[in-house]
C-alpha cells in the first residue's frame, strides 16, 4: 500500500466502542459490548478472558472476518488507517495478511494439508504483490522460514505441513504472517495447543519478532501468565466488556477490578507448594462452614451431628509420618506398553513403546502427580493402572493383588475401588444419558437394583460436588464445562473408591473453574481419605495437588520425588527446562526466564 | 451473573458461566426439544414433513377418502371410455368421439379416469400410496434392524467379526438386485410361507428391498460405532465395570438413534422408487391392486392419447420422494451437532 508511513504516535490499531451482536434463537447475544483499545506501532497488547468473554470474536472482527455472517457490528475498528467496519470487501482483502496477519490457535488446522509450506508462503505474498516473481517470492519464503527458526529452510520449504511438529507448524504459520511485512500480528491463542516448552519457544519468537521488526502484536489468550511476559498493555475481558485495561505490570500487581483479582487468585502458581495451598483451602473452608453454622444456629441436631466431623476434617495439614504408611495401596513394577504403528514399507507394523518400564508405589491418602508433555506416556500409564489397557510388560498390584492380566469379569468387583476422572468433560459424559443415569450407572453395574436408593445416593452426591439434586434429570449439554467435570467427579465417587486417577481433569477448563474443581478434589480427599494419581501437563497445577511428583518424558520417568524438592531443586535437566518454560504471572520474572532461555538456546546452537 | 468467584459461597454453587450458554430456558431443554425448535425454523424441512404426514394420513384413510371423493379403486367406468382408442371421452353419451385432453378430470373424478377400464384415478392413487408406503416402510424397517445389529456388532467387536460383516456388506451391495428380484418372483410358488397372491408379492418385495439395502444403514452404523466406542464416556463406563451389553445398549445405541432415524427417512424414498421400478417391470404387485409403478407401466401405452395417466402417478412418486428427502434433510440439519453451538 502506498500511503504515508504513520508517525510513531498514531496507533496502528484503534478500536472504539466495538459491539458485536449475534442474533440467535434465544434472542440477541451481545458477544462484545462496547470495547475500546489502541495498539501503538510496535506495541503489544494482550487480550485476556475466559471462554465466552468475547476475545475471539474481537480478533475475528479485527480481521473483518464477520463479513457474510449474521453478526451485527457497530463501532469503529481501524487497522493501519483503514476502517474495517465500513471498508469494501476488496479493500478488506487487501488489508488482511498485508497490514494485519493472523496466527490461529490450532496449527494442525490452519495450514492446508495438500500444499507444501513453500507454496503456501509464496501464495500468501503473491496474493498481495502479484508483481513479485515466483523465484523472488520463494527466496523470501526461505528467509521468512529462517527468521522464525525453522532449521534448513532451503530444504524444508518443500515439506508438507504434516511433516512438521506442532510447534514447527505454528512457526510456519507465523512465517506466513510475516511474508508481507504486516504492521500488526494478531495471535489468537497461538500456544494453547502446544506443550509448555514449545509454548515458551513460540512466545519467545513472537517477542523477538516484535522487537526486531517493529511490528505491533495483539496476543489473545485465556491465560494471564501467557500474556504477562510478552505484552505492554493488557485488556481483561468478561462477558464482552473490558473490565480492566492498563499497563501489564500495574494490572497484574495492583488489579483494580474484583474480577481481575479473582482471576489472578485462581491462576495456579508454580511457586506455591501443596502444603500452602491446602492450608489456604482448608482455612477458607473452615471459615465458610463457620459462617454457615452461624447462619443456621437454630438447628440443634445439625450442630451436634456436624460438630465432630468438621473438626477432624479441617485439622491443619500435617504430613503423615512416612514410617506409618505400611503396605502401599498400589504398586506398579516396571510396566511397559507397546502399540503397533502401521506405516513404513508395505504398511508393516512397527513397535512403538508408549511407556517403557515405569515403577512406583502409591500409599493411602497420598497424591502422586504425573507431569509430562504430550506423548510422554502419562495417559497410557494411567490407563494401564486402571486396567483399561493391559500392560505389555510388568506388574500392577492393587492392595496386594496382582491385577496385571485379570479378565474384565474378575476386575469388576475391583472397579469399585479404582475410579477415573477424564480430561474432557465434554466427551466423558454421554450426551444422550441424563446426569442422574450417568452417575447411577456405576451402582447399577455393580448390582444395585433398588431404583429409589440409587436416586437418593446420586442426589446426595450431586449436592456434595456442588450441584443441585434436581439436576438429576438433565442432560449434560445443559451444563458448563466446570459443572460437567463436577458430574464426572461425582460419577467417579459414587462407588466410594479408594483410588481415583485424574487424567488432566482441569486442562479443558477456564482458570476460575479450574480452581474450583481443584478445591473440590482436595476437599473430597480430606473427607473420604482418597488416594489420587493426578496426571497433567500443567506444572503449577500438579505442584499444588501432589505430595510426590513423577516427571515423564518419552515413556520414562526422568525424575520422581517429594513434590517440593522436585520443584525447588530439580535434579534432572529436563525438569529444569520444563520449570523454566512454565509461564509465570510476574512480568519481570517472565522476562528474566526468557533471557535465560535465550542464553541457553544460544549456548546450545 | 453471580458474584466474582473468589467469594467462597459461590464456589459451592453452580459455575458462573452456567447461564452463559444461552439463557436459563436453554438449560432445561433436552436435545430433542432443541432439534424440534431448529426443525420448526426450517421451512423446507417443515413442508416436507407436512407432506409426509399428509401422505401417511391419506394411506391410512384410503377407504374413507375414496368413499367421500371417489369410487372403489377397481370399479370400471367404461361408459366414459372410447372403446376404440381406450381414451376418455370428452362428452360421454354424446355423439362426438372426441377425447378429453384432461383425461376426464371433473368434480366426479378428481384426477380423471384410467384409459380402457375407466377406473377412478384419484382412488387408485390413494390406494397406490398405501402399497408404496407399506412396502417402503416395512422394507426400511428390515434394513434398519439388520443394518443396525450387524453395524454395531462389526463396529464394536472389530477384528475378524468386522472383517466378515464388512465383506458381506460389499457383496450385498454388489449383487445385481433387479435380476435377482425378477428371478425370485418367478421362482417363489404361490402359497409359500403361508402367503398367497399379493400378500406373497408384498412379502417378496419387502424381503428383496430390505435384505439388499441394509448395508447402507449398516455402514453408517458401523462407522458411528467405531468413533463412539473410542469416546471417553465409553471408557468411563468400562472403568465402572460395565460389560459389553451395557455399553452397546445404554451408551452407544442412544447415540445412534438420531443418525438411524435420519438415514431411514432418506432410505424410504429410495425404497419407494425401487418398489415402483419393480412394479413397473411387472415383478411387483399383481393387478388389479393399485400401485404407482404398475400404473406407470400401463400408462406408457397411452401416453399420446391420455398424457394425464403418465403424469399423475409420476407426480405422486415425485412428490412423495421429494417430501421424504426434504424431511430427512431437515431432520439431519436439526440433529446435526455441527450446526449446534
Amino acid at each position: 500500500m502506498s500511503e504515508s508511513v504513520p508517525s510513531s504516535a498514531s496507533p496502528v490499531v484503534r478500536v472504539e466502542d466495538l459491539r458485536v451482536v449475534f442474533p440467535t434463537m434465544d434472542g440477541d447475544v451481545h458477544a462484545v459490548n462496547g470495547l475500546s483499545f489502541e495498539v501503538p506501532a510496535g506495541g503489544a497488547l494482550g487480550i485476556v478472558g475466559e471462554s465466552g468473554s468475547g476475545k475471539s470474536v474481537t480478533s475475528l472482527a479485527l480481521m473483518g472476518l464477520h463479513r457474510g455472517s449474521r453478526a451485527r457490528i457497530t463501532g469503529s475498528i481501524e487497522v493501519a488507517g483503514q476502517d474495517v467496519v465500513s471498508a469494501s470487501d476488496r479493500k478488506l482483502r487487501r488489508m488482511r495478511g498485508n497490514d494485519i496477519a493472523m496466527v490461529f490457535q490450532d496449527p494442525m488446522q490452519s495450514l492446508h494439508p495438500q500444499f507444501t509450506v513453500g507454496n503456501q508462503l509464496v501464495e500468501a505474498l503473491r496474493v498481495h504483490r502479484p508483481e513479485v516473481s515466483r523465484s523472488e517470492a520463494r527466496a523470501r519464503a526461505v528467509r521468512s522460514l529462517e527468521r522464525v527458526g525453522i532449521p534448513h529452510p532451503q530444504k524444508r520449504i518443500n515439506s508438507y505441513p504434516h511433516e512438521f511438529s506442532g510447534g514447527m507448524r505454528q512457526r510456519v504459520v507465523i512465517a506466513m504472517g510475516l511474508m508481507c511485512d504486516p504492521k500488526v500480528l494478531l495471535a489468537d491463542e497461538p500456544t494453547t495447543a502446544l506443550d509448555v516448552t514449545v509454548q515458551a519457544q513460540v512466545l519467545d519468537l513472537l517477542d523477538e519478532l516484535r522487537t526486531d521488526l517493529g511490528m505491533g502484536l495483539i496476543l489473545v489468550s485465556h491465560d494471564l501468565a501467557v500474556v504477562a511476559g510478552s505484552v505492554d498493555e493488557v485488556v481483561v475481558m468478561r462477558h464482552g466488556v473490558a473490565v480492566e485495561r492498563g499497563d501489564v505490570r500495574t494490572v497484574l500487581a495492583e488489579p483494580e477490578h474484583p474480577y481481575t483479582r479473582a482471576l489472578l487468585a485462581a491462576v495456579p502458581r508454580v511457586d506455591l507448594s501443596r502444603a500452602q495451598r491446602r492450608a489456604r483451602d482448608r482455612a477458607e473452608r473452615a471459615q465458610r462452614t463457620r459462617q454457615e453454622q452461624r447462619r443456621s444456629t437454630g438447628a440443634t441436631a445439625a450442630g451436634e451431628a456436624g460438630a465432630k466431623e468438621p473438626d477432624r476434617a479441617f485439622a491443619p495439614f500435617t504430613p503423615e509420618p512416612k514410617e506409618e504408611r505400611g503396605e502401599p495401596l498400589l504398586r506398579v513394577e516396571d510396566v511397559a506398553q507397546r502399540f503397533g504403528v502401521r506405516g513404513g514399507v508395505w504398511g508393516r507394523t512397527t513397535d512403538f513403546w508408549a511407556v517403557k518400564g515405569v515403577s512406583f508405589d502409591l500409599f493411602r491418602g497420598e497424591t502422586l502427580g504425573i507431569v509430562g508433555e504430550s506423548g510422554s506416556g502419562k495417559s497410557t500409564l494411567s490407563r494401564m493402572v486402571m486396567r483399561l489397557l493391559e500392560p505389555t510388560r510388568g506388574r500392577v498390584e492393587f492392595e496386594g493383588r496382582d491385577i496385571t492380566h485379570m479378565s474384565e469379569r474378575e476386575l469388576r468387583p475391583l472397579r469399585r475401588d479404582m475410579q477415573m476422572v477424564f480430561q474432557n468433560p465434554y466427551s466423558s459424559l454421554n450426551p444422550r444419558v441424563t446426569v442422574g443415569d450417568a452417575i447411577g450407572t456405576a451402582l447399577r453395574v455393580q448390582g444395585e437394583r433398588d431404583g429409589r436408593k440409587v436416586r437418593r445416593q446420586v442426589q446426595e452426591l450431586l449436592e456434595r460436588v456442588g450441584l443441585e439434586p434436581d439436576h438429576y434429570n438433565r442432560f449434560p449439554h445443559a451444563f458448563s464445562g466446570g459443572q460437567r467435570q463436577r458430574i464426572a467427579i461425582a460419577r467417579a465417587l459414587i462407588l466410594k473408591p479408594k483410588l481415583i486417577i485424574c487424567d488432566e481433569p482441569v486442562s479443558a477448563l477456564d482458570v476460575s473453574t479450574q480452581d474450583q474443581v481443584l478445591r473440590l478434589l482436595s476437599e473430597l480427599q480430606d473427607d473420604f481419605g482418597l488416594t489420587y494419581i493426578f496426571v497433567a501437563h500443567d506444572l503449577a497445577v500438579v505442584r499444588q495437588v501432589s505430595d510426590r511428583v513423577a516427571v515423564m518424558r518419552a515413556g520414562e520417568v526422568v525424575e520422581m520425588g517429594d513434590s517440593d524438592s522436585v520443584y525447588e531443586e530439580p535434579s534432572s535437566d529436563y525438569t529444569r527446562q520444563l520449570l523454566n518454560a512454565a509461564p509465570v504471572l510476574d512480568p519481570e520474572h517472565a522476562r528474566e526466564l526468557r533471557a535465560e532461555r535465550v542464553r541457553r538456546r544460544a549456548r546450545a546452537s | 451473573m453471580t458474584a466474582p468467584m473468589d467469594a467462597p459461597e459461590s464456589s459451592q454453587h453452580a459455575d458462573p458461566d452456567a447461564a452463559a450458554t444461552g439463557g436459563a430456558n436453554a438449560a432445561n431443554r433436552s436435545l430433542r426439544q432443541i432439534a424440534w425448535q431448529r426443525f420448526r425454523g426450517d421451512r423446507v424441512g417443515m413442508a416436507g414433513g407436512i407432506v409426509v404426514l399428509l401422505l401417511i394420513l391419506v394411506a391410512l384413510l384410503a377407504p374413507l377418502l375414496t368413499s367421500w371423493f371417489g369410487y372403489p379403486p377397481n370399479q370400471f367406468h367404461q361408459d366414459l371410455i372410447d372403446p376404440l382408442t381406450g381414451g376418455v371421452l370428452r362428452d360421454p353419451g354424446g355423439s362426438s368421439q372426441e377425447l378429453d385432453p384432461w383425461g376426464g378430470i371433473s368434480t366426479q373424478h378428481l384426477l380423471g379416469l384410467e384409459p380402457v377400464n375407466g377406473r377412478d384415478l384419484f382412488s387408485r392413487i390413494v390406494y397406490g400410496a398405501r402399497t408404496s408406503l407399506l412396502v417402503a416402510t416395512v422394507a426400511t424397517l428390515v434394513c434398519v434392524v439388520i443394518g443396525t445389529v450387524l453395524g454395531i456388532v462389526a463396529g464394536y467387536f472389530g477384528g475378524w467379526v468386522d472383517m466378515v460383516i464388512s465383506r458381506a456388506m460389499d457383496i450385498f451391495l454388489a449383487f445385481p438386485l433387479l435380476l435377482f428380484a425378477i428371478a425370485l418372483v418367478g421362482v417363489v410358488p404361490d402359497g409359500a410361507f403361508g402367503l398367497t397372491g399379493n400378500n406373497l408379492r408384498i412379502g417378496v418385495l419387502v424381503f428383496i428391498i430390505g435384505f439388499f439395502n441394509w448395508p447402507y444403514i449398516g455402514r453408517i452404523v458401523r462407522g458411528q460405532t467405531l468413533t463412539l466406542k473410542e469416546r471417553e464416556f465409553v471408557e468411563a463406563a468400562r472403568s465402572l465395570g460395565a460389560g459389553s451389553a451395557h455399553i452397546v445398549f445404554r451408551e452407544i445405541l442412544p447415540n445412534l438413534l438420531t443418525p438411524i432415524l435420519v438415514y431411514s427417512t432418506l432410505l424410504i424414498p429410495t425404497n419407494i422408487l425401487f418398489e415402483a421400478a419393480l412394479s413397473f417391470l411387472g415383478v411387483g404387485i399383481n393387478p388389479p391392486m393399485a400401485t404407482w409403478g404398475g400404473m406407470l407401466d400401463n400408462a406408457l401405452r397411452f401416453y399420446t392419447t391420455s398424457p394425464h395417466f403418465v403424469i399423475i402417478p409420476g407426480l405422486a412418486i415425485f412428490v412423495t420422494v421429494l417430501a421424504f428427502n426434504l424431511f430427512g434433510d431437515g431432520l439431519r440439519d436439526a440433529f446435526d451437532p455441527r450446526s449446534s453451538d
Side-chain angles (χ1 to χ4, degrees):
Chain A
M1 297 202 75
S2 59
E3 79 209 52
S4 63
V5 181
S7 68
S8 60
S10 80
V12 64
V13 172
R14 179 191 284 141
V15 171
E16 243 178 68
D17 196 33
L18 174 68
R19 283 163 205 275
V20 183
V21 179
F22 292 99
T24 70
M25 284 191 314
D26 299 310
D28 287 355
V29 172
H30 297 262
V32 180
N33 211 347
L35 180 70
S36 309
F37 61 81
E38 281 178 4
V39 183
L45 173 84
I47 301 179
V48 181
E50 304 196 310
S51 50
S53 63
K55 55 190 194 310
S56 284
V57 172
T58 307
S59 65
L60 289 178
L62 276 176
M63 298 291 291
L65 287 173
H66 282 305
R67 289 283 165 95
S69 77
R70 287 191 299 170
R72 287 197 302 274
I73 301 188
T74 50
S76 89
I77 306 171
E78 232 175 70
V79 175
Q82 175 77 256
D83 186 353
V84 175
V85 178
S86 65
S88 67
D89 283 0
R90 231 182 112 102
K91 274 191 174 160
L92 256 188
R93 273 203 302 277
R94 223 181 300 152
M95 177 203 85
R96 291 181 197 143
N98 202 12
D99 295 325
I100 180 166
M102 185 154 179
V103 178
F104 290 91
Q105 172 172 349
D106 193 350
M108 311 287 159
Q109 288 177 21
S110 50
L111 286 169
H112 197 298
Q114 306 279 2
F115 294 102
T116 63
V117 297
N119 278 337
Q120 296 184 55
L121 261 73
V122 167
E123 180 76 14
L125 179 68
R126 288 185 24 119
V127 158
H128 294 290
R129 319 263 158 83
E131 73 279 1
V132 178
S133 76
R134 215 148 239 293
S135 57
E136 209 174 312
R138 221 176 149 72
R140 230 190 122 99
V142 172
R143 279 205 302 283
S144 191
L145 285 176
E146 193 170 12
R147 187 71 206 72
V148 296
I150 303 259
H152 316 297
Q154 294 280 11
K155 241 195 301 181
R156 296 296 268 163
I157 193 166
N158 293 320
S159 303
Y160 288 90
H162 68 264
E163 298 173 75
F164 291 91
S165 67
M168 283 294 160
R169 238 178 277 191
Q170 198 61 303
R171 282 167 194 262
V172 171
V173 176
I174 295 171
M176 199 144 99
L178 295 180
M179 283 303 280
C180 292
D181 294 321
K183 299 184 183 68
V184 203
L185 194 63
L186 171 59
D188 189 354
E189 302 266 12
T191 58
T192 310
L194 306 175
D195 280 327
V196 226
T197 45
V198 185
Q199 160 169 297
Q201 289 164 13
V202 169
L203 289 175
D204 292 353
L205 170 67
L206 287 174
D207 190 63
E208 193 187 308
L209 289 173
R210 176 166 84 93
T211 38
D212 290 2
L213 305 177
M215 206 171 48
L217 175 69
I218 300 177
L219 192 57
V220 180
S221 177
H222 67 283
D223 191 345
L224 268 169
V226 162
V227 165
S230 301
V231 300
D232 313 321
E233 221 191 348
V234 67
V235 174
V236 181
M237 284 187 76
R238 187 193 193 191
H239 305 321
V241 182
V243 294
E244 190 152 358
R245 182 183 145 193
D247 183 81
V248 66
R249 287 181 194 82
T250 339
V251 170
L252 291 180
E254 297 145 22
E256 274 174 12
H257 195 276
Y259 177 72
T260 321
R261 252 177 273 154
L263 205 57
L264 278 169
V267 173
R269 285 162 204 257
V270 78
D271 48 350
L272 191 70
S273 81
R274 162 151 167 95
Q276 282 168 308
R277 179 170 170 123
R278 278 199 115 172
R280 191 191 76 194
D281 286 357
R282 281 177 173 155
E284 279 176 15
R285 187 181 181 191
Q287 193 192 350
R288 203 165 62 226
T289 332
R290 273 201 300 279
Q291 277 173 354
E292 269 163 29
Q293 275 177 346
R294 224 173 295 146
R295 232 175 279 153
S296 59
T297 28
T300 45
E304 221 167 317
K308 238 169 77 188
E309 187 64 28
D311 265 349
R312 193 168 51 77
F314 306 145
F317 179 69
T318 41
E320 299 83 11
K322 289 195 173 155
E323 308 84 83
E324 282 176 35
R325 278 169 164 180
E327 272 293 293
L329 179 69
L330 178 80
R331 169 168 279 160
V332 174
E333 263 173 54
D334 195 36
V335 291
Q337 181 72 48
R338 181 184 56 204
F339 292 118
V341 181
R342 186 114 29 110
V345 192
W346 308 115
R348 258 215 307 250
T349 51
T350 48
D351 287 352
F352 167 71
W353 291 89
V355 172
K356 25 191 164 181
V358 173
S359 310
F360 62 84
D361 286 348
L362 186 65
F363 296 90
R364 273 167 226 281
E366 190 187 32
T367 303
L368 173 71
I370 300 179
V371 241
E373 299 189 299
S374 52
S376 61
K378 53 192 195 306
S379 281
T380 309
L381 177 64
S382 56
R383 276 168 175 73
M384 278 194 287
V385 172
M386 259 319 276
R387 269 305 318 278
L388 289 172
L389 282 174
E390 193 174 330
T392 317
R393 235 180 35 213
R395 234 171 113 79
V396 181
E397 258 175 46
F398 184 75
E399 292 192 301
R401 291 177 64 183
D402 185 354
I403 62 165
T404 325
H405 302 291
M406 266 191 189
S407 73
E408 202 63 46
R409 195 173 292 271
E410 290 172 295
L411 275 171
R412 194 162 301 162
L414 281 171
R415 295 272 187 222
R416 277 183 168 272
D417 295 332
M418 285 161 93
Q419 282 301 316
M420 190 151 180
V421 175
F422 292 87
Q423 168 174 10
N424 191 340
Y426 291 89
S427 73
S428 71
L429 294 174
N430 192 338
R432 300 276 169 184
V433 174
T434 61
V435 166
D437 276 345
I439 302 173
T441 292
L443 289 173
R444 287 199 196 89
V445 163
Q446 295 288 346
E448 179 61 62
R449 291 278 169 266
D450 185 352
R452 257 178 324 190
K453 203 168 151 198
V454 170
R455 195 185 175 91
R456 203 182 55 241
Q457 281 194 37
V458 170
Q459 289 184 330
E460 274 172 25
L461 201 55
L462 276 174
E463 240 180 321
R464 181 64 200 84
V465 298
L467 297 166
E468 309 284 329
D470 61 339
H471 286 166
Y472 189 90
N473 283 324
R474 288 201 192 165
F475 286 90
H477 72 91
F479 296 91
S480 68
Q483 288 175 315
R484 287 184 198 213
Q485 203 57 305
R486 284 167 193 269
I487 296 165
I489 290 172
R491 177 175 57 187
L493 269 179
I494 189 98
L495 294 173
K496 304 204 172 58
K498 294 173 183 147
L499 170 68
I500 295 188
I501 300 176
C502 305
D503 185 11
E504 300 264 16
V506 294
S507 64
L509 306 176
D510 281 329
V511 254
S512 55
T513 338
Q514 191 175 326
D515 188 56
Q516 292 166 16
V517 170
L518 290 178
R519 228 177 260 241
L520 173 68
L521 284 172
S522 133
E523 285 178 17
L524 294 171
Q525 185 166 36
D526 280 349
D527 293 358
F528 299 112
L530 296 170
T531 308
Y532 286 140
I533 293 182
F534 196 98
V535 179
H537 69 283
D538 189 324
L539 292 144
V541 168
V542 169
R543 170 158 199 190
Q544 295 194 3
V545 298
S546 320
D547 301 305
R548 278 191 303 153
V549 173
V551 182
M552 283 192 74
R553 182 189 200 181
E556 281 165 307
V557 171
V558 292
E559 182 166 2
M560 175 143 79
D562 176 52
S563 93
D564 286 345
S565 56
V566 168
Y567 279 78
E568 307 281 334
E569 295 141 23
S571 65
S572 95
D573 202 42
Y574 179 65
T575 314
R576 232 169 287 144
Q577 215 178 313
L578 276 182
L579 282 170
N580 186 264
V584 291
L585 270 180
D586 178 10
E588 301 301 333
H589 188 200
R591 272 169 223 279
E592 278 166 33
L593 285 176
R594 170 162 294 156
E596 202 185 310
R597 283 196 297 267
V598 172
R599 268 202 304 281
R600 196 192 285 258
R601 243 169 263 148
R603 227 183 305 137
S605 62
Chain B
M1 288 296 112
T2 51
M5 57 275 167
D6 59 340
E9 290 87 36
S10 74
S11 72
Q12 276 297 304
H13 295 300
D15 290 8
D17 55 332
T21 47
N25 56 341
N28 283 318
R29 269 190 264 135
S30 74
L31 284 178
R32 213 166 293 148
Q33 283 167 309
I34 291 174
W36 168 235
Q37 199 169 29
R38 211 179 288 142
F39 186 72
R40 251 188 345 195
D42 175 6
R43 265 184 231 160
V44 179
M46 266 310 258
I50 289 169
V51 173
V52 166
L53 215 65
L54 283 177
L55 276 167
I56 292 170
L57 276 178
V58 164
L60 287 177
L61 303 177
L64 214 56
L65 282 175
T66 50
S67 73
W68 288 343
F69 304 111
Y71 300 85
N74 292 325
Q75 188 182 339
F76 287 11
H77 299 273
Q78 279 171 324
D79 49 324
L80 308 177
I81 302 292
D82 174 20
L84 282 176
T85 54
V88 184
L89 291 171
R90 169 178 277 182
D91 182 20
S95 53
S96 154
Q97 293 296 306
E98 209 179 328
L99 296 180
D100 184 357
W102 293 99
I105 292 176
S106 65
T107 48
Q108 285 295 303
H109 300 282
L110 292 175
L111 295 175
L113 291 162
E114 184 196 42
V116 185
N117 293 326
R119 289 179 291 195
D120 182 44
L121 263 187
F122 173 77
S123 303
R124 292 190 67 75
I125 289 288
V126 167
Y127 272 92
R130 256 191 164 184
T131 325
S132 286
L133 290 184
L134 179 73
V135 171
T137 320
V138 178
T140 304
L141 271 179
V142 173
C143 290
V144 167
V145 170
I146 304 179
T148 307
V149 170
L150 291 182
I152 288 187
V153 168
Y156 185 74
F157 292 103
W160 65 268
V161 178
D162 183 24
M163 241 267 290
V164 170
I165 295 177
S166 295
R167 287 300 84 77
M169 291 190 203
D170 295 341
I171 290 168
F172 271 90
L173 287 179
F175 226 84
L177 191 42
L178 273 178
L179 294 182
F180 185 75
I182 293 167
L184 195 68
V185 167
V187 166
V188 178
D190 198 44
F193 315 109
L195 296 169
T196 51
N198 275 329
N199 285 341
L200 178 68
R201 284 300 186 91
I202 289 178
V204 170
L205 280 182
V206 165
F207 168 77
I208 293 169
I209 300 174
F211 209 66
F212 287 90
N213 282 329
W214 67 265
Y216 293 107
I217 296 269
R219 279 189 170 172
I220 288 156
V221 169
R222 175 181 169 268
Q224 290 280 327
T225 309
L226 278 179
T227 56
L228 282 170
K229 79 166 178 183
E230 299 298 328
R231 295 274 290 275
E232 278 182 339
F233 60 77
V234 171
E235 220 172 14
R238 275 183 63 204
S239 73
L240 293 170
S244 292
H246 174 97
I247 290 174
V248 166
F249 289 108
R250 299 292 301 267
E251 305 288 341
I252 293 183
L253 198 58
N255 284 288
L256 288 172
L257 290 183
T258 302
I260 291 174
L261 175 72
V262 169
Y263 284 98
S264 27
T265 325
L266 293 173
L267 196 60
I268 288 177
T270 324
N271 291 346
I272 289 177
L273 285 177
F274 204 82
E275 185 273 327
L278 287 176
S279 296
F280 180 81
L281 289 172
V283 294
I285 311 293
N286 285 326
M289 194 173 177
T291 64
W292 294 344
M295 286 161 87
L296 271 180
D297 181 27
N298 278 332
L300 282 188
R301 281 181 286 145
F302 301 100
Y303 75 96
T304 45
T305 51
S306 308
H308 75 287
F309 193 30
V310 183
I311 292 167
I312 287 167
L315 259 179
I317 295 174
F318 173 77
V319 168
T320 310
V321 171
L322 185 68
F324 268 104
N325 275 323
L326 295 179
F327 178 55
D329 277 344
L331 276 186
R332 184 172 50 198
D333 290 347
F335 279 110
D336 194 343
R338 270 171 305 177
S339 55
S340 73
D341 44 58

